């Protein structure tokens, strides 16, 4: 059984999430490929959103939630 844990989202997680790509019909989650990466990172790190990284038992970043 894989154990998952949550930790507050850090910049390294936000930068990884921005690069994730989803296939249709979930492709609307894809961050635009443009020069606004820092803005998207700031949005993920905004404490009002309270995003958390989901890590597996090997500390691999496998998801996020708010």
């Amino acid at each position: 059984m894989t154990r998952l844990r949550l930790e507050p989202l850090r910049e390294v997680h936000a930068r990884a999430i921005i690069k994730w790509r989803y296939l249709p019909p979930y492709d609307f989650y894809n961050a635009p490929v443009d020069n606004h990466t820092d803005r998207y990172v700031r949005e993920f790190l905004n404490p009002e959103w309270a995003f958390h990284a989901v890590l597996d038992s090997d500390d691999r970043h496998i998801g996020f939630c708010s």
Side-chain angles (χ1 to χ4, degrees), residues 9-22:
L9 198 77
R10 296 189 322 256
E11 183 175 342
V12 66
H13 300 132
R15 291 193 181 278
I17 292 166
I18 291 167
K19 295 177 185 175
W20 292 354
R21 293 291 172 255
Y22 303 92

Side-chain angles (χ1 to χ4, degrees), residues 16-33:
I17 292 166
I18 291 167
K19 295 177 185 175
W20 292 354
R21 293 291 172 255
Y22 303 92
L23 298 174
Y26 304 104
D27 56 334
F28 64 89
Y29 287 115
N30 294 340
V33 178

Side-chain angles (χ1 to χ4, degrees), residues 6-66:
L6 300 178
E7 72 173 41
L9 198 77
R10 296 189 322 256
E11 183 175 342
V12 66
H13 300 132
R15 291 193 181 278
I17 292 166
I18 291 167
K19 295 177 185 175
W20 292 354
R21 293 291 172 255
Y22 303 92
L23 298 174
Y26 304 104
D27 56 334
F28 64 89
Y29 287 115
N30 294 340
V33 178
D34 59 22
N35 295 326
H36 299 287
T37 300
D38 290 337
R39 184 185 78 181
Y40 303 130
V41 169
R42 283 193 306 273
E43 288 178 13
F44 271 113
L45 298 177
N46 182 339
E48 291 181 23
W49 290 95
F51 280 113
H52 288 77
V54 179
L55 305 173
D56 69 10
S57 56
D58 294 322
D59 284 335
R60 288 182 295 219
H61 177 206
I62 62 169
F64 68 99
C65 63
S66 65

